[in-house]
Amino acid sequence: MKTKFLFITGGVLSSLGKGLSAASIGALLQTRGMSVTIQKLDPYINVDPGTMNPYQHGEVFVTDDGAETDLDLGHYERFLNLSLSQRNNTTSGAIYYKVITKERRGDYLGGTVQVIPHITDEIKSAILSLSEGDNPPDVAIIEIGGTVGDIEGQPFLEAIRQLRSDLGRDNCLYIHLTLVPYLRAAGEHKTKPTQHSVKELRSIGIQPDIILCRCEEPVPDDLKAKIALFCNVDKDAVFSAVDVKSIYELPLRLYEEGLDQKIAIMLRLPARNANLDAWKNLVHAIHNPSGKAVIAVVGKYVELKEAYKSLHESLVHGGIANGVALELRYVNSEEITPDNVAGFFAGVDGILVPGGFGYRGVEGKIEAIRYAREAKVPFFGICLGMQCAVIEYGRNVAGIEGLTSEEFDPNAKDKIIYLMKEWYDFRRKATEHRDSSSDKGGTMRLGAYPCDLKEKTLAFAAYGQEHISERHRHRYEFNNAYRDRLAEKGMIFSGLSPDGNLVEIVELPDHPWFLGCQFHPEFHSRPMHPHPLFKAFIAAACRYRNKKK
Ligand code: GLN
């Protein structure tokens, strides 16, 4: 079977959950035995989201091949259990960059370079690249970022409009996600925003095949019929996407609506029954925990859940793996001082310090780590969290006063976290074309790197194997000049790069569970395959909680 393309656009307003809908549709198609791939097209001008701060963009999701991508790719990987790559996310900026590079090279010599056809052709080839290779997927789902009507998004919509005539009717399907608000005062659902947004879509030449209505309560049948009539779609092509308690319920809800069936008919996919047992079991486990654990996440962007999306999900997965519900407390590290630290963690069963950039809030994180170490509360430090953990240990246990990271104070005497010269030069060379005038961009260690674990450690116990591979996104490394001094004081370097040069995991003995890793395990966790470290951390938190009782 040749790859079929399913395009998802969004209307009315942003944050309707287009990414989750796309991921859920993909998961549903997988349960019918289809192979699926998925791509996000982002209309902004940044070449990738790597340079945006979390307030702008939420989390930057990193793939094995080191692409810095939209956080929707995290949903895709978690729902579809796939490992995605650079080609699963592109932006207007990246598309224009390619076209302008070609233009400078003289590829279009003699011609005027225009949005149509040059930009749209480049977009089409990014989409079609998904069906290349030896094993093309049965279905490729393409999510267009933004909302229909945005100026920026127009070339993308034009490109997917053209693809239907290029590829044929049976090979392309347009799904439009809109909002159907429920007005409590009037006691009814309102369809006008949907009508307007479909009108907008049709004015650029795209007639949606399926309308997915995001709503608080299921849209009643008579209203679905009204939407079908006004928006010119089949009567049975209007579906509700209701609010769900857990995002992992969404595939089940859409299945109950019959969405996969309609997609299969319209795309002429083989008639097969969906097997949703795995999803049902997952949702059952989520809704029937046998206990709970309280986890504090100590960070800088605590008011912004989007910034810690994968982390949040990975913790949830760790909870599922241990049969417990998690109560997550986000603590703003800037508010933590030596005097008030204990108050923040009263009743907490585990403390997690996630990744981050810059000095702001760091002293509070270090204070939280000291507390976790001394009070023997299970601790998990990720990336910056690990870096803070070695600073804390170096300062307070090995007695190296003023110890810090090069990131926080480039002129400090003792820098236990630093720019490793070999790495820095290597990365700069490798990315010179990208940003020769900047010392920041292009110098991060990105993507999957191997790590070897020491036997008889927390890390080894969690993974149950010696060789692992995890994703990275950081600039600074552990400074080996300090390794012996910390080891003498008991710190265990349980995970190292295969050449032994890069410290990947540190941990402490004589503590219920204290582990820091330089990589980001949250990018590999899936609801049906919880990450070993999150599983072990939550297990330790549960033991800690039970002991307290
Ligand atoms: N800021 C630190 C570094 O660049 C940690 C990065 C992170 O936590 N992702 O090394």
Side-chain angles (χ1 to χ4, degrees):
M1 190 174 97
K2 195 161 97 200
T3 302
K4 311 255 184 179
F5 289 85
L6 202 159
F7 301 103
I8 303 190
T9 55
V12 186
L13 41 85
S14 57
S15 305
L16 284 185
K18 215 176 341 138
L20 283 172
S21 303
S24 300
I25 289 169
L28 270 185
L29 293 173
Q30 282 183 335
T31 66
R32 300 174 66 101
M34 304 271 105
S35 61
V36 175
T37 191
I38 185 159
Q39 182 184 55
K40 173 90 190 276
L41 302 177
D42 279 309
Y44 49 72
I45 307 294
N46 303 60
V47 172
D48 64 43
T51 54
M52 280 185 250
N53 77 36
Y55 290 105
Q56 292 282 322
H57 186 274
E59 167 186 278
V60 173
F61 187 82
V62 179
T63 53
D64 276 343
D65 67 343
E68 296 180 277
T69 70
D70 186 79
L71 56 80
D72 276 333
L73 269 79
H75 290 312
Y76 301 166
E77 287 205 349
R78 288 187 284 272
F79 275 69
L80 302 175
N81 195 21
L82 294 174
S83 178
L84 302 173
S85 70
Q86 179 71 69
R87 94 177 167 174
N88 298 89
N89 186 203
T90 195
T91 69
S92 285
I95 297 283
Y96 274 83
Y97 195 81
K98 275 191 202 148
V99 171
I100 290 169
T101 308
K102 283 188 186 170
E103 189 274 335
R104 290 291 85 186
R105 216 166 47 204
D107 288 11
Y108 310 109
L109 225 47
T112 308
V113 183
Q114 295 177 298
V115 173
I116 306 172
H118 301 99
I119 296 294
T120 46
D121 279 354
E122 204 61 50
I123 295 172
K124 287 201 284 185
S125 78
I127 295 172
L128 293 172
S129 74
L130 296 175
S131 60
E132 286 162 5
D134 296 337
N135 253 327
D138 297 328
V139 181
I141 298 174
I142 319 294
E143 178 193 346
I144 314 289
T147 307
V148 167
D150 296 348
I151 290 177
E152 296 178 318
Q154 282 184 5
F156 289 101
L157 296 174
E158 169 60 16
I160 66 169
R161 183 196 68 76
Q162 291 177 17
L163 278 173
R164 181 169 239 177
S165 36
D166 295 353
L167 300 170
R169 296 215 146 254
D170 292 348
N171 297 322
C172 292
L173 190 80
Y174 301 106
I175 298 186
H176 189 58
L177 176 69
T178 84
L179 177 70
V180 178
Y182 183 77
L183 283 197
R184 246 162 248 301
E188 57 181 10
H189 285 93
K190 290 292 174 192
T191 67
K192 197 68 79 190
T194 298
Q195 294 178 39
H196 279 292
S197 131
V198 170
K199 198 167 126 199
E200 186 80 38
L201 196 56
R202 289 170 64 190
S203 76
I204 35 188
I206 296 175
Q207 165 64 56
D209 299 298
I210 286 175
I211 294 179
L212 193 53
C213 308
R214 178 67 197 270
C215 46
E216 280 175 56
E217 302 288 334
V219 179
D221 285 348
D222 57 332
L223 231 63
K224 283 185 178 170
K226 180 176 172 187
I227 292 171
L229 178 68
F230 279 75
C231 299
N232 195 30
V233 301
D234 291 353
K235 266 211 212 74
D236 61 352
V238 181
F239 299 91
S240 299
V242 288
D243 293 352
V244 281
K245 268 219 228 85
S246 155
I247 54 174
Y248 302 113
E249 282 174 53
L250 197 53
L252 294 175
R253 297 290 92 80
L254 297 179
Y255 171 76
E256 285 157 11
E257 285 272 306
L259 179 61
D260 60 310
Q261 188 70 15
K262 186 70 184 167
I263 292 172
I265 292 169
M266 295 187 103
L267 274 180
R268 297 186 198 284
L269 299 173
R272 282 188 201 139
N273 284 333
N275 180 347
L276 284 132
D277 290 351
W279 287 96
K280 285 184 189 151
N281 293 341
L282 174 68
V283 171
H284 181 83
I286 293 172
H287 292 322
N288 296 282
S290 59
K292 88 168 194 182
V294 183
I295 303 295
V297 176
V298 184
K300 196 162 59 169
Y301 305 108
V302 283
E303 70 285 16
L304 194 85
K305 303 283 178 309
E306 293 282 285
Y308 299 121
K309 198 94 232 169
S310 295
L311 182 85
H312 180 104
E313 291 308 317
S314 304
L315 283 167
V316 170
H317 304 163
I320 297 170
N322 286 283
V324 295
L326 294 188
E327 183 185 320
L328 298 182
R329 279 192 208 158
Y330 287 89
V331 177
N332 183 348
S333 60
E334 285 179 279
E335 290 168 9
I336 300 176
T337 66
D339 298 329
N340 67 15
V341 61
F344 280 104
F345 301 118
V348 161
D349 308 315
I351 297 175
L352 189 150
V353 178
F357 290 84
Y359 182 58
R360 190 161 63 85
V362 159
E363 294 302 332
K365 290 177 190 176
I366 291 174
E367 214 35 63
I369 295 167
R370 186 183 61 79
Y371 177 83
R373 180 175 58 77
E374 291 177 351
K376 300 212 186 288
V377 183
F379 167 78
F380 193 7
I382 294 177
C383 208
L384 184 67
M386 179 212 96
Q387 298 179 349
C388 288
V390 297
I391 293 173
E392 192 280 323
Y393 208 71
R395 281 185 192 172
N396 300 329
V397 180
I400 313 168
E401 227 175 281
L403 188 66
T404 190
S405 160
E406 183 157 6
E407 181 179 14
F408 313 146
D409 181 2
N411 303 316
K413 182 162 109 352
D414 283 301
K415 291 173 283 202
I416 194 166
I417 302 294
Y418 76 141
L419 277 180
M420 192 178 256
K421 185 139 180 22
E422 303 92 276
W423 244 108
Y424 189 69
D425 290 347
F426 170 75
R427 293 293 309 162
R428 284 217 39 162
K429 241 187 149 43
T431 56
E432 229 155 13
H433 60 284
R434 206 166 94 174
D435 32 37
S436 49
S437 59
S438 148
D439 65 343
K440 283 260 155 71
T443 54
M444 275 209 265
R445 181 145 78 104
L446 287 168
Y449 285 87
C451 166
D452 291 348
L453 304 180
K454 208 187 251 163
E455 277 181 48
K456 303 207 183 77
T457 58
L458 294 177
F460 194 90
Y463 283 94
Q465 65 191 67
E466 193 189 340
H467 305 292
I468 59 162
S469 167
E470 293 282 3
R471 295 179 187 173
H472 291 251
R473 183 176 188 249
H474 60 103
R475 187 167 291 115
Y476 302 89
E477 302 284 350
F478 182 87
N479 183 347
N480 289 320
Y482 295 87
R483 211 194 276 186
D484 290 345
R485 285 163 82 181
L486 265 60
E488 272 163 30
K489 291 288 175 191
M491 185 166 262
I492 298 164
F493 296 87
S494 55
L496 300 174
S497 57
D499 66 4
N501 265 331
L502 301 170
V503 170
E504 297 281 15
I505 307 179
V506 302
E507 53 187 77
L508 291 182
D510 307 322
H511 189 284
W513 205 86
F514 187 108
L515 184 145
C517 54
Q518 184 58 78
F519 49 80
H520 288 273
E522 69 269 30
F523 294 142
H524 271 162
S525 190
R526 314 281 161 82
M528 296 189 202
H529 305 277
H531 191 283
L533 291 180
F534 283 93
K535 190 172 160 185
F537 172 54
I538 302 299
C542 292
R543 286 195 300 273
Y544 179 81
R545 186 179 178 86
N546 288 337
K547 227 169 101 185
K548 267 190 314 193
K549 271 195 207 149

Short mmCIF file of all heavy atoms in Angstrom, two decimals, residues 473-518:
data_model
loop_
_atom_site.label_atom_id
_atom_site.label_comp_id
_atom_site.label_asym_id
_atom_site.label_seq_id
_atom_site.Cartn_x
_atom_site.Cartn_y
_atom_site.Cartn_z
N ARG A 473 20.55 17.49 26.07
CA ARG A 473 20.41 18.87 25.59
C ARG A 473 21.06 19.80 26.61
O ARG A 473 20.40 20.31 27.51
CB ARG A 473 18.93 19.25 25.40
CG ARG A 473 18.77 20.68 24.83
CD ARG A 473 17.32 21.01 24.54
NE ARG A 473 17.23 22.26 23.85
CZ ARG A 473 16.72 23.39 24.38
NH1 ARG A 473 16.25 23.39 25.61
NH2 ARG A 473 16.67 24.49 23.68
N HIS A 474 22.36 19.93 26.50
CA HIS A 474 23.08 20.79 27.45
C HIS A 474 24.40 21.21 26.85
O HIS A 474 24.88 20.62 25.87
CB HIS A 474 23.30 20.06 28.77
CG HIS A 474 24.12 18.82 28.62
ND1 HIS A 474 25.44 18.75 28.96
CD2 HIS A 474 23.80 17.61 28.09
CE1 HIS A 474 25.89 17.54 28.68
NE2 HIS A 474 24.93 16.84 28.14
N ARG A 475 24.98 22.21 27.45
CA ARG A 475 26.21 22.78 26.92
C ARG A 475 27.40 22.42 27.80
O ARG A 475 28.50 22.21 27.33
CB ARG A 475 26.03 24.30 26.86
CG ARG A 475 27.14 25.06 26.19
CD ARG A 475 26.70 26.49 25.90
NE ARG A 475 25.70 26.55 24.87
CZ ARG A 475 24.44 26.95 25.04
NH1 ARG A 475 24.03 27.37 26.23
NH2 ARG A 475 23.59 26.95 24.03
N TYR A 476 27.17 22.35 29.10
CA TYR A 476 28.27 22.17 30.06
C TYR A 476 28.36 20.72 30.52
O TYR A 476 27.38 19.99 30.49
CB TYR A 476 28.05 23.11 31.25
CG TYR A 476 27.97 24.56 30.82
CD1 TYR A 476 26.75 25.14 30.48
CD2 TYR A 476 29.12 25.33 30.73
CE1 TYR A 476 26.68 26.45 30.05
CE2 TYR A 476 29.06 26.64 30.31
CZ TYR A 476 27.84 27.21 29.97
OH TYR A 476 27.77 28.51 29.53
N GLU A 477 29.59 20.35 30.94
CA GLU A 477 29.84 18.97 31.35
C GLU A 477 30.47 18.93 32.74
O GLU A 477 31.04 19.93 33.20
CB GLU A 477 30.83 18.29 30.38
CG GLU A 477 30.40 18.25 28.92
CD GLU A 477 29.33 17.20 28.63
OE1 GLU A 477 29.04 16.36 29.51
OE2 GLU A 477 28.78 17.24 27.52
N PHE A 478 30.46 17.76 33.33
CA PHE A 478 31.14 17.56 34.59
C PHE A 478 32.66 17.69 34.37
O PHE A 478 33.19 17.11 33.43
CB PHE A 478 30.81 16.18 35.17
CG PHE A 478 31.45 15.92 36.50
CD1 PHE A 478 30.81 16.31 37.66
CD2 PHE A 478 32.69 15.31 36.58
CE1 PHE A 478 31.41 16.09 38.90
CE2 PHE A 478 33.30 15.10 37.81
CZ PHE A 478 32.65 15.49 38.97
N ASN A 479 33.32 18.40 35.26
CA ASN A 479 34.76 18.64 35.16
C ASN A 479 35.51 17.52 35.90
O ASN A 479 35.47 17.44 37.13
CB ASN A 479 35.05 20.01 35.77
CG ASN A 479 36.51 20.40 35.64
OD1 ASN A 479 37.37 19.56 35.32
ND2 ASN A 479 36.80 21.66 35.90
N ASN A 480 36.23 16.69 35.12
CA ASN A 480 36.86 15.50 35.72
C ASN A 480 37.94 15.83 36.75
O ASN A 480 38.32 14.95 37.53
CB ASN A 480 37.44 14.61 34.62
CG ASN A 480 36.32 13.94 33.84
OD1 ASN A 480 35.33 13.52 34.42
ND2 ASN A 480 36.47 13.87 32.52
N ALA A 481 38.41 17.07 36.77
CA ALA A 481 39.41 17.46 37.77
C ALA A 481 38.87 17.29 39.18
O ALA A 481 39.64 17.23 40.14
CB ALA A 481 39.83 18.91 37.53
N TYR A 482 37.55 17.22 39.31
CA TYR A 482 36.96 17.10 40.65
C TYR A 482 36.44 15.69 40.96
O TYR A 482 35.89 15.46 42.02
CB TYR A 482 35.81 18.11 40.81
CG TYR A 482 36.27 19.54 40.75
CD1 TYR A 482 36.40 20.20 39.53
CD2 TYR A 482 36.63 20.23 41.91
CE1 TYR A 482 36.85 21.50 39.46
CE2 TYR A 482 37.09 21.54 41.85
CZ TYR A 482 37.19 22.17 40.63
OH TYR A 482 37.64 23.46 40.57
N ARG A 483 36.61 14.79 40.00
CA ARG A 483 35.96 13.49 40.17
C ARG A 483 36.46 12.75 41.41
O ARG A 483 35.66 12.28 42.22
CB ARG A 483 36.16 12.62 38.92
CG ARG A 483 34.98 11.68 38.71
CD ARG A 483 35.28 10.59 37.71
NE ARG A 483 35.08 11.03 36.32
CZ ARG A 483 35.18 10.20 35.28
NH1 ARG A 483 35.46 8.93 35.47
NH2 ARG A 483 35.00 10.66 34.06
N ASP A 484 37.80 12.69 41.57
CA ASP A 484 38.36 11.94 42.70
C ASP A 484 37.95 12.53 44.04
O ASP A 484 37.66 11.81 44.98
CB ASP A 484 39.89 11.91 42.61
CG ASP A 484 40.34 11.04 41.45
OD1 ASP A 484 39.49 10.28 40.93
OD2 ASP A 484 41.53 11.13 41.06
N ARG A 485 37.93 13.86 44.10
CA ARG A 485 37.62 14.49 45.39
C ARG A 485 36.19 14.16 45.82
O ARG A 485 35.92 13.98 47.01
CB ARG A 485 37.82 15.99 45.31
CG ARG A 485 39.31 16.35 45.33
CD ARG A 485 39.57 17.73 44.85
NE ARG A 485 39.35 18.73 45.90
CZ ARG A 485 39.50 20.04 45.71
NH1 ARG A 485 39.85 20.48 44.51
NH2 ARG A 485 39.30 20.88 46.68
N LEU A 486 35.28 14.11 44.87
CA LEU A 486 33.90 13.77 45.24
C LEU A 486 33.76 12.28 45.51
O LEU A 486 33.03 11.87 46.41
CB LEU A 486 32.91 14.22 44.15
CG LEU A 486 32.29 15.60 44.41
CD1 LEU A 486 33.33 16.69 44.50
CD2 LEU A 486 31.23 15.94 43.38
N ALA A 487 34.51 11.48 44.73
CA ALA A 487 34.45 10.03 44.92
C ALA A 487 34.98 9.65 46.30
O ALA A 487 34.42 8.80 46.99
CB ALA A 487 35.24 9.31 43.83
N GLU A 488 36.06 10.34 46.71
CA GLU A 488 36.61 10.09 48.05
C GLU A 488 35.56 10.31 49.14
O GLU A 488 35.57 9.66 50.17
CB GLU A 488 37.77 11.05 48.34
CG GLU A 488 39.11 10.56 47.91
CD GLU A 488 40.13 11.70 47.85
OE1 GLU A 488 39.99 12.67 48.65
OE2 GLU A 488 41.03 11.63 46.99
N LYS A 489 34.68 11.25 48.88
CA LYS A 489 33.65 11.56 49.87
C LYS A 489 32.40 10.70 49.68
O LYS A 489 31.36 10.95 50.28
CB LYS A 489 33.27 13.04 49.80
CG LYS A 489 34.37 13.96 50.26
CD LYS A 489 34.54 13.88 51.76
CE LYS A 489 35.75 14.71 52.22
NZ LYS A 489 36.08 14.44 53.61
N GLY A 490 32.48 9.74 48.78
CA GLY A 490 31.39 8.78 48.68
C GLY A 490 30.54 8.85 47.43
O GLY A 490 29.77 7.93 47.15
N MET A 491 30.65 9.94 46.65
CA MET A 491 29.79 10.02 45.46
C MET A 491 30.19 8.93 44.46
O MET A 491 31.37 8.66 44.24
CB MET A 491 29.87 11.40 44.82
CG MET A 491 28.92 11.57 43.66
SD MET A 491 28.70 13.30 43.16
CE MET A 491 27.18 13.72 44.00
N ILE A 492 29.18 8.29 43.87
CA ILE A 492 29.44 7.20 42.92
C ILE A 492 29.15 7.70 41.51
O ILE A 492 28.08 8.27 41.25
CB ILE A 492 28.54 5.99 43.25
CG1 ILE A 492 28.88 5.47 44.65
CG2 ILE A 492 28.71 4.89 42.21
CD1 ILE A 492 27.82 4.54 45.21
N PHE A 493 30.10 7.49 40.62
CA PHE A 493 29.91 7.88 39.22
C PHE A 493 29.45 6.63 38.48
O PHE A 493 30.26 5.87 37.95
CB PHE A 493 31.19 8.50 38.68
CG PHE A 493 31.54 9.78 39.41
CD1 PHE A 493 32.27 9.77 40.58
CD2 PHE A 493 31.02 10.99 38.95
CE1 PHE A 493 32.53 10.95 41.28
CE2 PHE A 493 31.27 12.17 39.64
CZ PHE A 493 32.02 12.16 40.81
N SER A 494 28.16 6.43 38.46
CA SER A 494 27.64 5.13 38.04
C SER A 494 27.37 5.03 36.55
O SER A 494 27.15 3.94 36.03
CB SER A 494 26.36 4.80 38.82
OG SER A 494 25.42 5.84 38.66
N GLY A 495 27.38 6.16 35.85
CA GLY A 495 27.17 6.12 34.40
C GLY A 495 28.18 7.03 33.73
O GLY A 495 28.31 8.20 34.08
N LEU A 496 28.94 6.47 32.78
CA LEU A 496 29.96 7.25 32.06
C LEU A 496 29.84 6.99 30.58
O LEU A 496 29.34 5.93 30.16
CB LEU A 496 31.36 6.82 32.51
CG LEU A 496 31.74 6.97 33.99
CD1 LEU A 496 33.11 6.34 34.23
CD2 LEU A 496 31.76 8.43 34.42
N SER A 497 30.32 7.94 29.76
CA SER A 497 30.40 7.68 28.33
C SER A 497 31.34 6.50 28.14
O SER A 497 32.21 6.27 28.99
CB SER A 497 30.93 8.92 27.61
OG SER A 497 32.19 9.29 28.13
N PRO A 498 31.20 5.73 27.05
CA PRO A 498 32.02 4.52 26.89
C PRO A 498 33.52 4.79 27.01
O PRO A 498 34.26 3.93 27.49
CB PRO A 498 31.65 4.04 25.48
CG PRO A 498 30.25 4.53 25.29
CD PRO A 498 30.17 5.85 25.99
N ASP A 499 34.00 5.99 26.64
CA ASP A 499 35.43 6.28 26.79
C ASP A 499 35.78 6.73 28.22
O ASP A 499 36.94 7.02 28.53
CB ASP A 499 35.90 7.33 25.78
CG ASP A 499 35.25 8.70 26.02
OD1 ASP A 499 34.51 8.85 27.02
OD2 ASP A 499 35.49 9.62 25.22
N GLY A 500 34.78 6.80 29.07
CA GLY A 500 35.02 7.14 30.46
C GLY A 500 35.18 8.63 30.73
O GLY A 500 35.39 9.05 31.87
N ASN A 501 35.08 9.46 29.70
CA ASN A 501 35.36 10.89 29.87
C ASN A 501 34.20 11.73 30.37
O ASN A 501 34.40 12.72 31.07
CB ASN A 501 35.80 11.48 28.52
CG ASN A 501 37.31 11.50 28.43
OD1 ASN A 501 37.98 11.61 29.47
ND2 ASN A 501 37.84 11.37 27.23
N LEU A 502 33.00 11.37 29.94
CA LEU A 502 31.85 12.21 30.29
C LEU A 502 31.06 11.57 31.41
O LEU A 502 30.67 10.40 31.31
CB LEU A 502 30.94 12.41 29.07
CG LEU A 502 31.60 13.05 27.84
CD1 LEU A 502 30.68 12.94 26.63
CD2 LEU A 502 31.94 14.50 28.13
N VAL A 503 30.82 12.35 32.46
CA VAL A 503 30.02 11.83 33.56
C VAL A 503 28.55 11.95 33.17
O VAL A 503 28.07 13.03 32.85
CB VAL A 503 30.29 12.60 34.86
CG1 VAL A 503 29.29 12.23 35.94
CG2 VAL A 503 31.72 12.33 35.33
N GLU A 504 27.85 10.83 33.20
CA GLU A 504 26.44 10.82 32.80
C GLU A 504 25.50 10.62 33.99
O GLU A 504 24.39 11.13 33.98
CB GLU A 504 26.19 9.71 31.77
CG GLU A 504 26.95 9.88 30.46
CD GLU A 504 26.31 10.88 29.52
OE1 GLU A 504 25.45 11.66 29.95
OE2 GLU A 504 26.68 10.89 28.32
N ILE A 505 25.94 9.82 34.98
CA ILE A 505 25.07 9.58 36.14
C ILE A 505 25.90 9.62 37.42
O ILE A 505 27.00 9.05 37.47
CB ILE A 505 24.36 8.20 36.06
CG1 ILE A 505 23.63 8.03 34.72
CG2 ILE A 505 23.36 8.04 37.21
CD1 ILE A 505 22.92 6.70 34.55
N VAL A 506 25.39 10.31 38.42
CA VAL A 506 26.02 10.28 39.75
C VAL A 506 24.97 9.81 40.74
O VAL A 506 23.77 9.98 40.53
CB VAL A 506 26.54 11.68 40.18
CG1 VAL A 506 27.53 12.21 39.17
CG2 VAL A 506 25.40 12.66 40.39
N GLU A 507 25.43 9.18 41.82
CA GLU A 507 24.47 8.78 42.85
C GLU A 507 25.17 8.71 44.21
O GLU A 507 26.39 8.80 44.29
CB GLU A 507 23.81 7.45 42.50
CG GLU A 507 24.77 6.32 42.18
CD GLU A 507 24.01 5.08 41.66
OE1 GLU A 507 23.60 5.06 40.48
OE2 GLU A 507 23.87 4.14 42.46
N LEU A 508 24.37 8.56 45.26
CA LEU A 508 24.94 8.50 46.61
C LEU A 508 24.55 7.20 47.29
O LEU A 508 23.43 6.72 47.14
CB LEU A 508 24.40 9.67 47.46
CG LEU A 508 24.87 11.07 47.08
CD1 LEU A 508 24.28 12.08 48.04
CD2 LEU A 508 26.40 11.16 47.07
N PRO A 509 25.50 6.63 48.04
CA PRO A 509 25.16 5.47 48.86
C PRO A 509 24.53 5.97 50.16
O PRO A 509 24.48 7.19 50.40
CB PRO A 509 26.52 4.83 49.12
CG PRO A 509 27.48 5.98 49.11
CD PRO A 509 26.90 7.04 48.20
N ASP A 510 24.11 5.10 51.01
CA ASP A 510 23.55 5.48 52.33
C ASP A 510 22.44 6.50 52.21
O ASP A 510 22.38 7.48 52.97
CB ASP A 510 24.64 6.03 53.26
CG ASP A 510 25.81 5.06 53.36
OD1 ASP A 510 25.54 3.83 53.38
OD2 ASP A 510 26.96 5.51 53.39
N HIS A 511 21.63 6.32 51.22
CA HIS A 511 20.50 7.23 51.01
C HIS A 511 19.43 6.38 50.33
O HIS A 511 19.76 5.48 49.56
CB HIS A 511 20.94 8.40 50.10
CG HIS A 511 19.92 9.50 50.01
ND1 HIS A 511 18.78 9.38 49.24
CD2 HIS A 511 19.86 10.72 50.59
CE1 HIS A 511 18.07 10.50 49.36
NE2 HIS A 511 18.70 11.34 50.16
N PRO A 512 18.14 6.64 50.62
CA PRO A 512 17.11 5.79 50.02
C PRO A 512 17.17 5.78 48.49
O PRO A 512 16.99 4.75 47.87
CB PRO A 512 15.80 6.43 50.48
CG PRO A 512 16.14 7.30 51.64
CD PRO A 512 17.59 7.65 51.53
N TRP A 513 17.41 6.89 47.87
CA TRP A 513 17.55 6.95 46.40
C TRP A 513 17.94 8.38 46.04
O TRP A 513 17.13 9.30 46.15
CB TRP A 513 16.22 6.60 45.71
CG TRP A 513 16.39 6.06 44.31
CD1 TRP A 513 16.61 4.77 43.95
CD2 TRP A 513 16.32 6.80 43.07
NE1 TRP A 513 16.70 4.64 42.59
CE2 TRP A 513 16.52 5.87 42.02
CE3 TRP A 513 16.12 8.13 42.73
CZ2 TRP A 513 16.51 6.23 40.66
CZ3 TRP A 513 16.11 8.50 41.38
CH2 TRP A 513 16.30 7.56 40.38
N PHE A 514 19.19 8.54 45.64
CA PHE A 514 19.69 9.86 45.29
C PHE A 514 20.46 9.70 43.99
O PHE A 514 21.52 9.08 43.96
CB PHE A 514 20.61 10.37 46.40
CG PHE A 514 21.06 11.81 46.22
CD1 PHE A 514 20.54 12.81 47.04
CD2 PHE A 514 22.00 12.16 45.26
CE1 PHE A 514 20.95 14.14 46.89
CE2 PHE A 514 22.42 13.48 45.11
CZ PHE A 514 21.89 14.46 45.93
N LEU A 515 19.91 10.24 42.90
CA LEU A 515 20.54 10.02 41.59
C LEU A 515 20.38 11.26 40.72
O LEU A 515 19.31 11.88 40.68
CB LEU A 515 19.89 8.80 40.92
CG LEU A 515 20.45 8.34 39.58
CD1 LEU A 515 20.38 6.82 39.46
CD2 LEU A 515 19.72 8.98 38.40
N GLY A 516 21.45 11.61 40.04
CA GLY A 516 21.40 12.72 39.08
C GLY A 516 21.91 12.24 37.74
O GLY A 516 22.86 11.46 37.68
N CYS A 517 21.28 12.66 36.66
CA CYS A 517 21.77 12.27 35.34
C CYS A 517 21.94 13.51 34.46
O CYS A 517 21.15 14.45 34.55
CB CYS A 517 20.87 11.24 34.68
SG CYS A 517 19.14 11.72 34.57
N GLN A 518 22.96 13.48 33.62
CA GLN A 518 23.25 14.61 32.75
C GLN A 518 22.29 14.64 31.55
O GLN A 518 22.08 15.67 30.94
CB GLN A 518 24.71 14.51 32.30
CG GLN A 518 25.20 15.66 31.47
CD GLN A 518 25.07 16.99 32.18
OE1 GLN A 518 25.85 17.35 33.03
NE2 GLN A 518 24.03 17.74 31.85
#
